[in-house]
Protein backbone atom coordinates (compact mmCIF):
# COMPACT_ATOMS: atom_id res chain seq x y z
CA UNK A 1 0.00 0.00 0.00
CA UNK A 2 1.16 3.49 -0.82
CA UNK A 3 3.02 5.14 2.06
CA UNK A 4 0.75 8.21 2.03
CA UNK A 5 -2.36 6.12 2.41
CA UNK A 6 -1.07 3.47 4.77
CA UNK A 7 -1.48 4.25 8.45
CA UNK A 8 1.55 3.69 10.69
CA UNK A 9 0.48 1.42 13.58
CA UNK A 10 0.92 2.87 17.04
CA UNK A 11 2.11 0.90 20.02
CA UNK A 12 -0.47 -1.71 20.99
CA UNK A 13 -1.96 -1.74 24.44
CA UNK A 14 -3.05 1.05 26.79
CA UNK A 15 -2.24 2.66 30.08
CA UNK A 16 -4.64 4.18 32.56
CA UNK A 17 -4.87 7.93 32.86
CA UNK A 18 -3.76 9.35 36.18
CA UNK A 19 -5.91 11.51 38.43
CA UNK A 20 -5.47 15.20 37.78
CA UNK A 21 -4.54 16.21 41.28
CA UNK A 22 -2.08 13.52 42.17
CA UNK A 23 -0.51 11.22 39.62
CA UNK A 24 1.86 12.17 36.75
CA UNK A 25 1.92 10.75 33.23
CA UNK A 26 4.56 8.22 34.24
CA UNK A 27 5.66 7.03 37.67
CA UNK A 28 7.58 9.79 39.42
CA UNK A 29 6.25 13.30 39.91
CA UNK A 30 9.45 14.79 38.54
CA UNK A 31 8.39 13.70 35.04
CA UNK A 32 5.06 15.53 35.19
CA UNK A 33 4.66 19.17 34.29
CA UNK A 34 1.77 20.48 36.43
CA UNK A 35 0.26 22.45 33.56
CA UNK A 36 -0.10 19.26 31.52
CA UNK A 37 -2.16 17.34 34.06
CA UNK A 38 -5.32 15.71 32.80
CA UNK A 39 -8.93 16.53 33.66
CA UNK A 40 -10.68 14.60 36.45
CA UNK A 41 -13.22 12.93 34.14
CA UNK A 42 -10.32 11.58 32.03
CA UNK A 43 -8.74 9.86 35.03
CA UNK A 44 -10.09 6.38 34.24
CA UNK A 45 -9.76 6.53 30.47
CA UNK A 46 -7.13 4.37 28.83
CA UNK A 47 -5.07 5.60 25.92
CA UNK A 48 -2.13 4.28 23.91
CA UNK A 49 1.28 4.92 25.58
CA UNK A 50 2.57 6.63 22.45
CA UNK A 51 0.61 9.79 23.29
CA UNK A 52 2.45 10.32 26.57
CA UNK A 53 5.74 9.65 24.85
CA UNK A 54 4.97 12.19 22.13
CA UNK A 55 3.92 14.83 24.65
CA UNK A 56 7.17 14.58 26.59
CA UNK A 57 9.05 15.58 23.44
CA UNK A 58 6.46 18.00 22.06
CA UNK A 59 7.39 21.55 21.02
CA UNK A 60 6.34 24.34 23.43
CA UNK A 61 3.38 25.48 21.33
CA UNK A 62 1.88 21.98 21.38
CA UNK A 63 2.29 21.72 25.15
CA UNK A 64 0.58 25.08 25.51
CA UNK A 65 -2.29 23.96 23.30
CA UNK A 66 -2.72 20.70 25.22
CA UNK A 67 -2.70 22.61 28.51
CA UNK A 68 -5.40 24.99 27.30
CA UNK A 69 -7.58 22.18 25.96
CA UNK A 70 -7.29 20.26 29.23
CA UNK A 71 -8.38 23.35 31.13
CA UNK A 72 -11.48 23.58 28.93
CA UNK A 73 -12.05 19.85 29.48
CA UNK A 74 -12.34 20.47 33.22
CA UNK A 75 -14.73 23.37 32.74
CA UNK A 76 -16.98 21.53 30.29
CA UNK A 77 -16.84 18.06 31.83
CA UNK A 78 -15.48 16.36 28.75
CA UNK A 79 -15.45 12.57 28.95
CA UNK A 80 -12.52 12.03 26.61
CA UNK A 81 -8.78 12.42 26.89
CA UNK A 82 -6.66 15.07 25.20
CA UNK A 83 -3.16 14.31 23.93
CA UNK A 84 -0.54 14.98 21.31
CA UNK A 85 -1.95 13.14 18.32
CA UNK A 86 -0.35 13.19 14.88
CA UNK A 87 -3.38 15.20 13.72
CA UNK A 88 -2.08 18.16 15.73
CA UNK A 89 0.90 18.32 13.38
CA UNK A 90 -1.44 19.60 10.64
CA UNK A 91 -3.96 22.41 10.36
CA UNK A 92 -7.68 21.71 10.50
CA UNK A 93 -7.93 22.89 6.88
CA UNK A 94 -5.46 20.19 5.79
CA UNK A 95 -7.27 17.50 7.77
CA UNK A 96 -10.82 18.26 6.69
CA UNK A 97 -12.17 19.57 3.37
CA UNK A 98 -15.88 18.73 3.42
CA UNK A 99 -17.90 21.17 1.30
CA UNK A 100 -21.65 20.73 1.70
CA UNK A 101 -24.43 22.50 -0.21
CA UNK A 102 -26.55 25.07 1.58
CA UNK A 103 -29.51 23.53 3.49
CA UNK A 104 -32.22 24.31 0.91
CA UNK A 105 -30.12 22.89 -1.94
CA UNK A 106 -29.16 19.87 0.16
CA UNK A 107 -32.78 19.05 1.01
CA UNK A 108 -33.84 19.28 -2.63
CA UNK A 109 -31.04 16.89 -3.52
CA UNK A 110 -32.01 14.50 -0.71
CA UNK A 111 -35.62 14.29 -1.90
CA UNK A 112 -34.73 13.59 -5.54
CA UNK A 113 -31.91 11.19 -4.67
CA UNK A 114 -34.02 9.10 -2.30
CA UNK A 115 -36.76 8.82 -4.90
CA UNK A 116 -34.14 7.46 -7.29
CA UNK A 117 -32.70 5.19 -4.58
CA UNK A 118 -36.02 3.39 -4.01
CA UNK A 119 -36.17 2.40 -7.66
CA UNK A 120 -32.46 1.58 -7.87
CA UNK A 121 -32.61 -0.73 -4.83
CA UNK A 122 -35.55 -2.59 -6.32
CA UNK A 123 -33.73 -2.99 -9.62
CA UNK A 124 -30.64 -4.27 -7.81
CA UNK A 125 -32.70 -6.79 -5.84
CA UNK A 126 -34.31 -8.15 -9.01
CA UNK A 127 -30.98 -8.17 -10.86
CA UNK A 128 -29.28 -10.14 -8.08
CA UNK A 129 -32.12 -12.68 -8.07
CA UNK A 130 -31.92 -13.05 -11.83
CA UNK A 131 -28.16 -13.63 -11.57
CA UNK A 132 -28.73 -16.10 -8.71
CA UNK A 133 -26.83 -14.05 -6.13
CA UNK A 134 -27.99 -13.30 -2.62
CA UNK A 135 -26.81 -10.54 -0.31
CA UNK A 136 -25.32 -11.64 2.99
CA UNK A 137 -27.50 -10.43 5.89
CA UNK A 138 -26.01 -7.77 8.15
CA UNK A 139 -25.20 -8.96 11.69
CA UNK A 140 -27.04 -6.29 13.73
CA UNK A 141 -30.62 -5.24 14.35
CA UNK A 142 -31.85 -1.74 15.14
CA UNK A 143 -32.93 -2.97 18.57
CA UNK A 144 -29.43 -4.14 19.50
CA UNK A 145 -27.86 -2.38 22.48
CA UNK A 146 -24.60 -2.29 20.55
CA UNK A 147 -23.38 -2.99 17.05
CA UNK A 148 -19.97 -2.81 15.43
CA UNK A 149 -18.68 -3.35 11.91
CA UNK A 150 -15.20 -2.24 12.92
CA UNK A 151 -13.68 -5.72 12.59
CA UNK A 152 -14.99 -5.92 9.03
CA UNK A 153 -13.51 -2.61 7.95
CA UNK A 154 -10.22 -2.34 6.02
CA UNK A 155 -7.07 -0.93 7.57
CA UNK A 156 -7.17 2.70 8.69
CA UNK A 157 -6.08 5.13 5.99
CA UNK A 158 -4.24 8.44 6.15
CA UNK A 159 -5.25 11.30 3.85
CA UNK A 160 -2.08 13.23 4.64
CA UNK A 161 -2.12 16.97 4.03
CA UNK A 162 -4.76 16.80 1.29
CA UNK A 163 -8.32 17.89 2.17
CA UNK A 164 -9.74 14.68 0.72
CA UNK A 165 -11.67 13.44 3.75
CA UNK A 166 -14.79 13.30 1.54
CA UNK A 167 -13.16 10.72 -0.76
CA UNK A 168 -11.99 8.56 2.15
CA UNK A 169 -15.44 8.81 3.72
CA UNK A 170 -17.13 7.67 0.51
CA UNK A 171 -14.72 4.79 -0.04
CA UNK A 172 -14.73 3.79 3.64
CA UNK A 173 -18.50 3.35 3.56
CA UNK A 174 -18.27 1.54 0.22
CA UNK A 175 -15.44 -0.84 1.20
CA UNK A 176 -17.03 -1.73 4.52
CA UNK A 177 -20.41 -2.43 2.95
CA UNK A 178 -18.79 -4.43 0.14
CA UNK A 179 -17.14 -6.77 2.62
CA UNK A 180 -20.30 -7.14 4.68
CA UNK A 181 -22.41 -7.92 1.61
CA UNK A 182 -20.00 -10.00 -0.45
CA UNK A 183 -17.44 -11.22 2.13
CA UNK A 184 -14.54 -9.80 0.16
CA UNK A 185 -11.83 -7.39 1.30
CA UNK A 186 -11.17 -4.64 -1.23
CA UNK A 187 -8.96 -1.55 -1.35
CA UNK A 188 -10.28 1.14 -3.66
CA UNK A 189 -8.34 4.11 -4.97
CA UNK A 190 -9.17 7.41 -3.30
CA UNK A 191 -6.72 9.00 -5.71
CA UNK A 192 -8.88 7.90 -8.64
CA UNK A 193 -11.82 9.58 -6.89
CA UNK A 194 -9.93 12.81 -6.19
CA UNK A 195 -8.46 13.05 -9.69
CA UNK A 196 -11.37 11.86 -11.84
CA UNK A 197 -14.79 11.89 -10.14
CA UNK A 198 -15.36 15.62 -10.43
CA UNK A 199 -16.52 15.58 -6.81
CA UNK A 200 -13.79 17.75 -5.34
CA UNK A 201 -10.07 18.10 -4.81
CA UNK A 202 -7.52 18.54 -2.05
CA UNK A 203 -9.34 21.82 -1.41
CA UNK A 204 -12.52 19.93 -0.53
CA UNK A 205 -15.54 18.06 -1.87
CA UNK A 206 -18.21 15.62 -0.74
CA UNK A 207 -19.63 12.13 -1.29
CA UNK A 208 -22.85 12.86 -3.21
CA UNK A 209 -21.16 13.22 -6.63
CA UNK A 210 -18.78 10.36 -5.79
CA UNK A 211 -21.59 7.85 -5.30
CA UNK A 212 -23.46 9.13 -8.36
CA UNK A 213 -20.30 8.84 -10.47
CA UNK A 214 -19.87 5.25 -9.27
CA UNK A 215 -23.28 4.29 -10.65
CA UNK A 216 -21.82 4.41 -14.14
CA UNK A 217 -18.04 4.43 -13.62
CA UNK A 218 -15.84 1.71 -12.16
CA UNK A 219 -13.42 2.87 -9.47
CA UNK A 220 -9.87 1.52 -9.62
CA UNK A 221 -8.03 -0.32 -6.90
CA UNK A 222 -5.34 1.28 -4.76
CA UNK A 223 -2.77 -0.89 -6.54
CA UNK A 224 -3.83 0.56 -9.90
CA UNK A 225 -3.79 4.20 -8.83
CA UNK A 226 -1.93 4.71 -5.53
CA UNK A 227 -2.76 7.64 -3.28
CA UNK A 228 -0.43 10.65 -3.58
CA UNK A 229 -2.19 13.19 -1.31
CA UNK A 230 -2.46 15.55 -4.30
CA UNK A 231 -5.03 16.49 -6.92
CA UNK A 232 -3.21 14.45 -9.53
CA UNK A 233 -4.16 14.22 -13.20
CA UNK A 234 -7.06 12.11 -14.42
CA UNK A 235 -6.06 9.47 -16.94
CA UNK A 236 -8.45 7.20 -18.92
CA UNK A 237 -6.57 4.02 -18.04
CA UNK A 238 -6.45 1.60 -16.39
CA UNK A 239 -10.07 0.46 -16.26
CA UNK A 240 -11.50 0.24 -12.77
CA UNK A 241 -13.38 -2.57 -11.04
CA UNK A 242 -15.77 -1.28 -8.37
CA UNK A 243 -19.16 0.31 -8.98
CA UNK A 244 -22.33 1.17 -7.10
CA UNK A 245 -25.85 -0.17 -7.63
CA UNK A 246 -27.68 2.47 -5.55
CA UNK A 247 -27.18 5.08 -2.90
CA UNK A 248 -29.31 7.42 -0.81
CA UNK A 249 -29.58 9.64 2.23
CA UNK A 250 -30.71 8.59 5.70
CA UNK A 251 -33.14 11.53 5.89
CA UNK A 252 -34.47 14.20 3.55
CA UNK A 253 -33.90 16.99 6.06
CA UNK A 254 -30.77 19.15 6.28
CA UNK A 255 -30.35 18.17 9.92
CA UNK A 256 -28.75 15.44 12.01
CA UNK A 257 -30.90 12.29 11.68
CA UNK A 258 -32.33 10.82 14.86
CA UNK A 259 -30.49 8.01 16.61
CA UNK A 260 -33.22 5.62 15.49
CA UNK A 261 -32.89 6.72 11.84
CA UNK A 262 -29.13 6.24 11.83
CA UNK A 263 -29.38 2.82 13.49
CA UNK A 264 -32.00 1.72 10.98
CA UNK A 265 -29.77 2.78 8.08
CA UNK A 266 -26.74 1.02 9.59
CA UNK A 267 -28.53 -2.31 9.91
CA UNK A 268 -30.26 -1.99 6.53
CA UNK A 269 -27.36 -0.76 4.41
CA UNK A 270 -24.07 -0.92 6.35
CA UNK A 271 -21.47 1.73 7.31
CA UNK A 272 -22.57 5.31 6.70
CA UNK A 273 -20.81 8.34 5.20
CA UNK A 274 -21.51 11.22 7.59
CA UNK A 275 -20.42 14.76 8.38
CA UNK A 276 -19.09 16.14 11.67
CA UNK A 277 -17.67 19.35 13.08
CA UNK A 278 -13.89 19.13 13.66
CA UNK A 279 -12.32 21.37 16.32
CA UNK A 280 -8.92 21.44 18.04
CA UNK A 281 -10.39 19.16 20.73
CA UNK A 282 -11.40 16.68 18.02
CA UNK A 283 -7.87 16.84 16.63
CA UNK A 284 -6.42 16.06 20.07
CA UNK A 285 -8.79 13.17 20.92
CA UNK A 286 -6.94 10.07 22.15
CA UNK A 287 -9.59 7.94 23.90
CA UNK A 288 -12.93 7.98 25.73
CA UNK A 289 -16.30 9.30 24.55
CA UNK A 290 -16.04 12.59 22.68
CA UNK A 291 -18.80 14.84 24.04
CA UNK A 292 -17.99 18.35 22.89
CA UNK A 293 -21.02 20.24 21.58
CA UNK A 294 -19.62 22.74 19.13
CA UNK A 295 -22.25 24.08 16.73
CA UNK A 296 -19.88 25.67 14.24
CA UNK A 297 -19.69 24.94 10.52
CA UNK A 298 -19.60 21.25 9.66
CA UNK A 299 -16.29 20.61 7.92
CA UNK A 300 -15.31 16.93 7.92
CA UNK A 301 -16.39 13.50 6.71
CA UNK A 302 -16.12 10.23 8.65
CA UNK A 303 -17.75 6.79 8.60
CA UNK A 304 -20.14 5.53 11.29
CA UNK A 305 -19.42 1.83 11.80
CA UNK A 306 -21.46 1.06 14.91
CA UNK A 307 -22.93 2.21 18.21
CA UNK A 308 -23.05 1.45 21.93
CA UNK A 309 -26.12 2.53 23.90
CA UNK A 310 -24.30 2.06 27.20
CA UNK A 311 -21.89 4.77 26.09
CA UNK A 312 -24.61 6.69 24.25
CA UNK A 313 -22.16 6.95 21.39
CA UNK A 314 -21.39 6.15 17.77
CA UNK A 315 -18.21 4.38 16.70
CA UNK A 316 -16.63 6.34 13.87
CA UNK A 317 -13.74 5.69 11.52
CA UNK A 318 -11.48 8.58 10.56
CA UNK A 319 -8.85 9.03 7.82
CA UNK A 320 -6.01 10.54 9.85
CA UNK A 321 -3.96 7.38 10.40
CA UNK A 322 -3.58 5.36 13.61
CA UNK A 323 -1.73 8.14 15.41
CA UNK A 324 -5.07 9.74 16.22
CA UNK A 325 -7.78 8.47 18.55
CA UNK A 326 -8.15 4.79 19.32
CA UNK A 327 -6.06 3.45 16.46
CA UNK A 328 -7.89 5.74 14.06
CA UNK A 329 -11.36 5.32 15.58
CA UNK A 330 -13.44 7.40 18.00
CA UNK A 331 -16.44 7.02 20.30
CA UNK A 332 -18.57 10.14 19.85
CA UNK A 333 -21.68 10.98 21.84
CA UNK A 334 -24.96 10.84 19.94
CA UNK A 335 -25.42 14.32 18.45
CA UNK A 336 -22.03 15.71 19.49
CA UNK A 337 -20.55 18.23 17.02
CA UNK A 338 -23.40 17.53 14.56
CA UNK A 339 -22.24 13.93 14.00
CA UNK A 340 -24.42 12.27 11.39
CA UNK A 341 -25.31 15.33 9.31
CA UNK A 342 -25.86 14.55 5.60
CA UNK A 343 -25.63 10.80 6.37
CA UNK A 344 -25.64 8.60 3.27
CA UNK A 345 -25.46 4.90 2.46
CA UNK A 346 -24.20 3.13 -0.64
CA UNK A 347 -25.08 -0.27 -2.14
CA UNK A 348 -22.08 -1.79 -3.94
CA UNK A 349 -22.60 -3.79 -7.11
CA UNK A 350 -20.84 -7.11 -7.49
CA UNK A 351 -17.60 -6.60 -9.37
CA UNK A 352 -18.10 -9.77 -11.43
CA UNK A 353 -21.40 -8.56 -12.91
CA UNK A 354 -21.86 -6.16 -15.80
CA UNK A 355 -23.62 -2.89 -15.06
CA UNK A 356 -27.35 -3.49 -14.78
CA UNK A 357 -28.87 -2.23 -18.05
CA UNK A 358 -32.11 -1.35 -16.25
CA UNK A 359 -30.11 0.79 -13.82
CA UNK A 360 -28.44 2.59 -16.71
CA UNK A 361 -31.88 3.35 -18.19
CA UNK A 362 -33.04 4.64 -14.79
CA UNK A 363 -29.97 6.88 -14.61
CA UNK A 364 -30.68 8.26 -18.08
CA UNK A 365 -34.32 8.85 -17.20
CA UNK A 366 -33.31 10.80 -14.11
CA UNK A 367 -30.65 12.72 -16.07
CA UNK A 368 -27.94 11.99 -13.53
CA UNK A 369 -24.45 13.24 -14.41
CA UNK A 370 -22.05 10.32 -14.08
CA UNK A 371 -18.84 12.00 -15.21
CA UNK A 372 -17.27 15.38 -14.63
CA UNK A 373 -18.03 18.10 -17.16
CA UNK A 374 -15.16 19.97 -18.73
Amino acid sequence: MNSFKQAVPIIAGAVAFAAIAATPFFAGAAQQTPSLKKAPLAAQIKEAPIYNQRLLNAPPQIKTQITQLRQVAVQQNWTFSIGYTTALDRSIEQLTGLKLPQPAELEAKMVSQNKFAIEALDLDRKYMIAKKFTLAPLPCTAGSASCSYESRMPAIRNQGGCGSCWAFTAMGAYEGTYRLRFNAVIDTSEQHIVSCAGAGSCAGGWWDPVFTWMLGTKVRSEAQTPYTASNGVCTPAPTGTYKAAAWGFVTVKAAVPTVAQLKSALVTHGPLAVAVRVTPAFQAYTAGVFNQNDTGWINHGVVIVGWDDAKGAWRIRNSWGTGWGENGYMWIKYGANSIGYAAAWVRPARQDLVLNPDLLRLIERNRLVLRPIG
Side-chain angles (χ1 to χ4, degrees):
M1 187 183 297
N2 183 276
S3 59
F4 278 105
K5 183 173 178 180
Q6 185 174 20
V8 179
I10 60 176
I11 299 174
V15 293
F17 268 119
I20 186 171
T23 311
F25 284 139
F26 301 105
Q31 296 184 31
Q32 173 68 41
T33 302
S35 63
L36 292 175
K37 289 179 181 177
K38 303 180 178 98
L41 290 180
Q44 302 303 315
I45 301 172
K46 295 182 178 181
E47 67 176 3
I50 191 65
Y51 294 122
N52 281 330
Q53 296 168 15
R54 280 175 56 81
L55 189 55
L56 287 176
N57 299 313
Q61 65 271 23
I62 291 292
K63 290 184 177 180
T64 298
Q65 184 177 13
I66 296 297
T67 297
Q68 293 171 344
L69 285 171
R70 288 179 175 174
Q71 290 169 349
V72 177
V74 175
Q75 297 165 2
Q76 298 190 7
N77 295 319
W78 287 347
T79 55
F80 59 98
S81 54
I82 295 291
Y84 183 20
T85 68
T86 53
L88 286 174
D89 293 329
R90 299 187 185 277
S91 69
I92 287 180
E93 290 72 26
Q94 289 176 308
L95 293 168
T96 56
L98 180 61
K99 292 186 176 180
L100 293 168
Q102 292 299 313
E105 181 185 352
L106 177 59
E107 288 190 355
K109 173 62 182 178
M110 288 171 160
V111 170
S112 63
Q113 182 58 40
N114 281 13
K115 181 180 178 181
F116 170 88
I118 291 171
E119 294 185 71
L121 282 174
D122 186 56
L123 288 176
D124 184 60
R125 180 184 62 82
K126 293 175 180 177
Y127 192 57
M128 295 289 282
I129 291 173
K131 296 296 183 179
K132 297 181 170 31
F133 286 112
T134 57
L135 292 174
L138 298 183
C140 300
T141 66
S144 301
S146 64
C147 167
S148 178
Y149 300 143
E150 184 174 339
S151 65
R152 308 303 300 277
M153 299 298 292
I156 285 290
R157 316 299 198 213
N158 192 337
Q159 69 189 66
C162 169
S164 55
C165 65
W166 53 274
F168 283 87
T169 297
M171 293 300 92
Y174 181 90
E175 291 172 356
T177 304
Y178 196 99
R179 183 174 182 185
L180 285 164
R181 291 299 190 182
F182 304 129
N183 197 30
V185 179
I186 63 172
D187 186 4
T188 56
S189 170
E190 286 84 3
Q191 190 62 53
H192 187 204
I193 296 295
V194 172
S195 299
C196 298
S201 66
C202 282
W206 81 300
W207 42 87
D208 170 332
V210 175
F211 292 149
T212 297
W213 186 69
M214 290 180 70
L215 292 171
T217 305
K218 297 179 181 181
V219 175
R220 299 170 194 160
S221 68
E222 173 69 12
Q224 289 177 304
T225 306
Y227 186 63
T228 62
S230 65
N231 290 331
V233 176
C234 185
T235 58
T239 301
T241 301
Y242 307 105
K243 51 193 180 289
W247 78 272
F249 292 98
V250 173
T251 179
V252 293
K253 297 294 183 182
V256 176
T258 66
V259 171
Q261 287 174 325
L262 288 167
K263 284 182 178 180
S264 178
L266 280 165
V267 301
T268 302
H269 302 291
L272 303 174
V274 303
V276 69
R277 164 72 173 165
V278 162
T279 61
F282 194 104
Q283 276 182 283
Y285 168 87
T286 60
V289 178
F290 185 85
N291 66 330
Q292 184 185 38
N293 287 298
D294 191 299
T295 57
W297 182 247
I298 300 165
N299 55 2
H300 190 48
V302 295
V303 182
I304 294 183
V305 301
W307 73 82
D308 188 333
D309 284 338
K311 292 182 171 69
W314 303 113
R315 188 64 163 171
I316 63 170
R317 168 190 172 89
N318 206 349
S319 53
W320 295 348
T322 56
W324 171 89
E326 297 177 346
N327 286 305
Y329 285 84
M330 168 192 268
W331 285 110
I332 182 169
K333 203 77 173 174
Y334 298 149
N337 281 28
S338 301
I339 183 67
Y341 189 86
W345 52 267
V346 60
R347 174 67 59 85
R350 283 189 64 100
Q351 68 181 78
D352 52 352
L353 295 179
V354 297
L355 288 169
N356 185 345
D358 290 331
L359 175 61
L360 293 177
R361 283 190 285 271
L362 177 64
I363 291 169
E364 183 178 355
R365 192 164 72 246
N366 282 268
R367 298 180 179 179
L368 296 180
V369 178
L370 301 185
R371 289 174 174 81
I373 299 174

